[in-house]
Amino acid sequence: MAAVTDTVEFEQHRLQVRPQPLRLRSGSKRQGIIFASPPSPEPSIQSSDPCSEKAELELRPVDRGLGAWKFLFAAFMIEGFMFDYYSTHAPLAGNTNLSTIGTFGTCFYFLGAPIATYLIRRYRRWHRQTIWTGFFISIVGLGAAGWAEDFVSLLATQGFTFGVGILVMAYPIFNMMNEWFVERRGLALGVICASTGITGLFIPFVLNFLLHKYGPANTLRLSALALLLLCGPCLPLLKPRLPTSHNDTVPAADYSFLKMPLFYCFSLAQLLQGLGFYLPTIYLPSYAISMGLSGTMGALLLVIASFAQVLGQMAFGCVSDMRVKRLWIDGRVPVHILLFVSTFISGISIFALWGPARSQGMLIAFATVYGMSAGGFAVLWARM
């Protein structure tokens, strides 16, 4: 029995993993022999969700790949046709109070940003469901507006319901964009923002045609159907890049930026720029008519400004992603320089081109310069 016990103990001792000796290089401060444990296998990203069928997940690449470009295409379509609806649709009747509907709906998109940002950060695994819910809320609100018989009903459907749907749908998309694009985030945001300028090239003319041929009620119903057919198929393409699970932990919110003076400088700059950004495009058609130009020319000026905005947003987005190591320490163009270029050129164009404009050519020049310079400001939000 003793022999058997000794044999077992010997086999157990022989099967133990011996540490492998490693010698330090002669140039090291310490020389000699150290022992290291056997190399551990390469860690893999595992899903903490017990219901997941796959034990290992491989993250898709950022700034490239089919998944990133499919997401960007879907965001481009939704931003162009859904988020820009209020800035492109024509008045539905002669009631002057109808202009309040667009303002009432748009306020949800901006004033609800703090609450929406917190919720999408807290419940990240529900991003896709949130987008689908917001999409159908907005479609129902816009379609129901076609049966509204008074101003209050129109405000509740096209203003409140459609605006809330846009709020619910918008911010999860922007949060996903930050997952898919890092180094080329400026370009991605430029493409998404430029979509509103592209749709602005033809949507006003389409809506004006529908209003004259089918009337306001049918135009609203057809608009809801068109958004459903154009943007609905794009929703499955909006997928997060990072895996989610029911056990996701939310890190504590960091409010240290409230102590930074630069935060208040950027906030004030965005507030002042937002107050004046839409005024030239709102009054440019009526200003052209007051000069004796036709209404068609006024609409054409908006088309020119929209096309120039597309070029400007794409250009500012690309420049914000560029790395020029010989000029700046981190290689990127400082964001405050790009902000100054955008606001300075757009401001000068108002005083130098729009103010003294007495001809059609001056208005075209103003629409081009202002659209390219002022439109690029929103693209720089990703760098602030």
Side-chain angles (χ1 to χ4, degrees):
M1 178 68 65
V4 174
T5 303
D6 294 340
T7 304
V8 172
E9 292 178 353
F10 173 78
E11 291 294 331
Q12 292 178 351
H13 177 74
R14 186 173 61 86
L15 292 176
Q16 290 180 356
V17 179
R18 296 281 185 177
Q20 301 295 327
L22 298 176
R23 294 185 179 274
L24 297 177
R25 293 178 296 182
S26 59
S28 308
K29 294 182 179 181
R30 298 177 59 185
Q31 297 182 4
I33 299 177
I34 62 175
F35 290 88
S37 300
S40 58
E42 184 179 357
S44 59
I45 302 176
Q46 295 185 353
S47 174
S48 57
D49 188 357
C51 299
S52 176
E53 296 181 357
K54 295 183 179 180
E56 297 182 358
L57 296 175
E58 181 180 357
L59 291 181
R60 285 162 286 187
V62 295
D63 299 315
R64 57 186 175 86
L66 184 59
W69 298 121
K70 288 193 300 183
F71 170 84
L72 188 60
F73 171 76
F76 174 89
M77 294 291 293
I78 293 177
E79 170 75 15
F81 288 99
M82 297 289 293
F83 300 165
D84 197 47
Y85 176 80
Y86 284 124
S87 62
T88 56
H89 84 288
L92 299 181
N95 192 341
T96 56
N97 292 328
L98 288 177
S99 59
T100 310
I101 297 175
T103 306
F104 186 74
T106 307
C107 74
F108 289 100
Y109 179 72
F110 293 102
L111 297 181
I115 300 177
T117 302
Y118 169 78
L119 291 178
I120 65 172
R121 184 172 175 268
R122 179 67 178 83
Y123 303 101
R124 192 172 66 88
R125 67 178 183 272
W126 299 105
H127 278 182
R128 299 192 69 186
Q129 294 86 341
T130 304
I131 294 174
W132 282 83
T133 302
F135 176 75
F136 285 106
I137 290 176
S138 60
I139 294 297
V140 170
L142 186 59
W147 283 272
E149 299 180 354
D150 53 14
F151 172 74
V152 177
S153 300
L154 200 60
L155 185 66
T157 53
Q158 187 185 4
F160 177 78
T161 307
F162 188 85
V164 170
I166 293 297
L167 169 67
V168 173
M169 179 174 54
Y171 289 94
I173 294 178
F174 287 112
N175 191 73
M176 289 182 183
M177 185 200 71
N178 294 333
E179 298 179 3
W180 283 107
F181 295 92
V182 179
E183 293 294 329
R184 307 177 72 176
R185 186 173 297 169
L187 174 62
L189 188 58
V191 171
I192 295 176
C193 293
S195 63
T196 60
I198 294 178
T199 54
L201 298 176
F202 59 89
I203 281 186
F205 299 100
V206 174
L207 292 177
N208 189 55
F209 170 78
L210 294 176
L211 284 171
H212 286 85
K213 187 171 183 179
Y214 299 105
N218 289 327
T219 299
L220 286 171
R221 299 165 190 168
L222 291 174
S223 299
L225 180 61
L227 293 179
L228 179 63
L229 297 178
L230 290 173
C231 300
C234 298
L235 295 181
L237 302 179
L238 296 173
K239 299 179 181 180
R241 173 181 169 268
L242 301 179
T244 58
S245 70
H246 295 280
N247 299 325
D248 283 342
T249 58
V250 180
D254 183 12
Y255 297 102
S256 60
F257 63 90
L258 295 176
K259 302 179 182 179
M260 301 179 181
L262 188 60
F263 166 74
Y264 297 98
C265 292
F266 281 152
S267 300
L268 180 61
Q270 291 188 38
L271 175 63
L272 297 178
Q273 200 271 349
L275 291 175
F277 174 73
Y278 295 102
L279 295 180
T281 55
I282 291 175
Y283 292 104
L284 191 58
S286 59
Y287 186 85
I289 294 176
S290 66
M291 291 176 52
L293 301 177
S294 63
T296 304
M297 186 62 205
L300 183 60
L301 289 174
L302 292 182
V303 172
I304 295 174
S306 297
F307 181 74
Q309 178 179 331
V310 172
L311 299 179
Q313 289 174 333
M314 295 290 292
F316 273 92
C318 292
V319 173
S320 65
D321 291 335
M322 291 177 56
R323 291 187 178 273
V324 187
K325 297 183 179 180
R326 297 181 179 179
L327 299 180
W328 292 279
I329 298 177
D330 61 347
R332 292 185 181 273
V333 181
V335 65
H336 59 272
I337 294 180
L338 298 177
L339 292 172
F340 173 79
V341 171
S342 173
T343 53
F344 181 78
I345 296 179
S346 59
I348 291 298
S349 66
I350 294 176
F351 289 104
L353 297 176
W354 192 16
R358 296 296 182 270
S359 63
Q360 175 179 316
M362 291 285 288
L363 291 180
I364 294 177
F366 166 72
T368 304
V369 176
Y370 182 81
M372 292 188 65
S373 56
F377 190 92
V379 179
L380 302 175
W381 291 352
R383 291 280 311 280
M384 291 185 185

